[in-house]
Amino acid sequence: MGAPKQKWTSEEEEALRAGVDKHGAGKWRTIQKDPEFSHCLSTRSNIDLKDKWRNMSISASGQGSREKMRTPRPKPLSAIPESNSPSAAPTPLPHKDASPTTPDATKSAQDAKNPPRYTALIIEAITSMQEPNGVEIGAIFSFIEQRQEVPQNFRRVLSSKLRRLVAQNKIERVQKGYRLKDSSFATKTPIPKPKDPVNRTRVPQNTSSAKAMDPIEEAAITAAYKIADSEAKSFLASEAVKEAEKIAQMAEETDSLLLLAKEIFERCSRGEIVTVA
C-alpha cells in the first residue's frame, strides 16, 4: 500500500507559496531543485506540490467568497437621516480585485490586435532605393525582412500585396520590378469645404451605395489574390522548366565527353598516340 502521506506543515506551505511566487505555477521540479526551498520540500514529489497548490488555491478562493458574502451591504442614502451640519461627500472604496494595467500589457494587447501593415514598408523600400528601372521583389523582401519579423509565406503575401497596389494605381510594374506611379507620391489630406448653414441638417443619402460597393470591393480583392497566386505558380513553373533545360544540356555535354573519352581509350589501347589540342 505504500507509506501514508504526511500532513503538510506551515513551513512547507510557506516554501511552496514562495516557490510559486518565484518560479510560477507549474514549475514544480524547478521549485524542488531550488536550494532555497529544497530543504523544506525534499520529501514531497512534484505531484504532491501540484495537488497541494490546487487545494490551497481552492481554499483561498472559497475563503474570499465567504468574506465577500459576510461584508454588509451599504445602506441607501435615503435611509441616512439628514443633519444640518455639512458633511463631506463619501469617497468611493477601491475594488479589491482591480489590478493596475501596466503600459507593457497595454502595448502587447494593441500589438496583438493590430497586425503588421506592409504597405508603408513597401512604399518606403521603393522610395529609399530610387531605382529608375524598378525595384525587384527580392530587394523589397530583404528590405522588409531587415526591419521586422516576417512569416514563412511572406514571399507570397508580398507578391499579392504588390499586385493589389498595382491595381490601386499606387505603384506600377516595369521590366525589372516595381516603382512608384508618381514620384511625388504622398498621402494628401483633403481640405474640408465650408459647410452650408442651410444644409446642415440634411441627412446623407449615399449609405446604400456605400453598402453596395462592399461586395464589389471584396470580389476585386479576391480576384487580385487569385491572380497573384496564379502568377506565382506560373513563375515557379517557368523556373522549373529552365532548370530542366539546363539539366538536359548538361546531360548532352556529359554524353559527348564520355564518347570522346571512350574513343581516346580505344586508340590508346591499340598503341596509337593521341594528342588533345
Side-chain angles (χ1 to χ4, degrees):
M1 295 297 290
K5 293 185 178 180
Q6 298 179 359
K7 187 177 180 180
W8 281 71
T9 63
S10 60
E11 185 179 4
E12 290 177 337
E13 292 180 355
E14 291 297 331
L16 178 58
R17 288 193 186 95
V20 172
D21 291 339
K22 182 177 180 181
H23 299 288
K27 304 291 185 180
W28 311 121
R29 291 188 181 275
T30 306
I31 295 173
Q32 278 184 317
K33 294 179 181 179
D34 195 330
E36 186 178 353
F37 316 113
S38 61
H39 66 281
C40 296
L41 303 175
S42 59
T43 59
R44 303 293 181 178
S45 64
N46 56 348
I47 299 176
D48 294 337
L49 299 182
K50 180 181 69 174
D51 295 340
K52 183 60 179 177
W53 180 250
R54 182 176 66 249
N55 296 334
M56 291 171 63
S57 300
I58 292 173
S59 61
S61 62
Q63 183 179 1
S65 62
R66 288 196 297 270
E67 289 179 358
K68 290 181 181 178
M69 293 175 64
R70 292 176 183 175
T71 54
R73 295 183 178 179
K75 296 182 179 180
L77 296 177
S78 59
I80 300 175
E82 297 180 357
S83 59
N84 295 330
S85 61
S87 58
T91 58
L93 296 175
H95 201 274
K96 293 182 180 180
D97 298 334
S99 59
T101 57
T102 59
D104 296 337
T106 307
K107 185 176 180 181
S108 62
Q110 291 179 356
D111 293 340
K113 291 181 180 179
N114 298 327
R117 297 182 178 179
Y118 302 113
T119 304
L121 291 173
I122 293 173
I123 299 299
E124 183 182 355
I126 298 175
T127 306
S128 61
M129 294 181 189
Q130 294 181 356
E131 292 290 340
N133 296 327
V135 182
E136 296 181 354
I137 186 172
I140 299 174
F141 178 83
S142 301
F143 182 87
I144 297 175
E145 190 180 18
Q146 291 175 0
R147 278 155 179 78
Q148 70 176 22
E149 186 177 357
V150 296
Q152 294 181 355
N153 60 342
F154 179 66
R155 186 88 177 191
R156 184 178 299 178
V157 174
L158 178 61
S159 178
S160 62
K161 192 67 177 177
L162 290 171
R163 300 306 175 198
R164 191 186 302 176
L165 292 175
V166 171
Q168 294 174 356
N169 290 329
K170 292 184 179 180
I171 62 175
E172 61 181 353
R173 184 173 182 179
V174 292
Q175 185 177 3
K176 292 186 177 181
Y178 299 89
R179 66 183 180 185
L180 295 178
K181 191 76 172 178
D182 187 5
S183 59
S184 61
F185 177 82
T187 56
K188 299 179 180 179
T189 56
I191 301 174
K193 296 181 180 180
K195 295 182 179 180
D196 189 2
V198 180
N199 299 327
R200 283 182 181 177
T201 59
R202 187 176 297 174
V203 180
Q205 300 178 358
N206 294 329
T207 56
S208 60
S209 61
K211 291 181 180 179
M213 287 296 293
D214 291 340
I216 298 175
E217 186 176 357
E218 291 179 359
I221 293 172
T222 305
Y225 271 113
K226 291 183 178 180
I227 291 172
D229 192 11
S230 62
E231 288 185 356
K233 290 180 179 178
S234 63
F235 175 75
L236 293 175
S238 63
E239 291 293 329
V241 170
K242 291 179 181 178
E243 190 69 22
E245 292 177 353
K246 290 181 181 179
I247 293 172
Q249 186 178 0
M250 291 173 63
E252 292 178 358
E253 293 176 355
T254 305
D255 291 338
S256 62
L257 289 174
L258 287 173
L259 291 175
L260 179 60
K262 184 178 180 181
E263 184 180 355
I264 294 173
F265 176 76
E266 291 177 353
R267 289 185 179 180
C268 291
S269 63
R270 291 196 298 265
E272 296 181 3
I273 299 174
V274 181
T275 58
V276 180

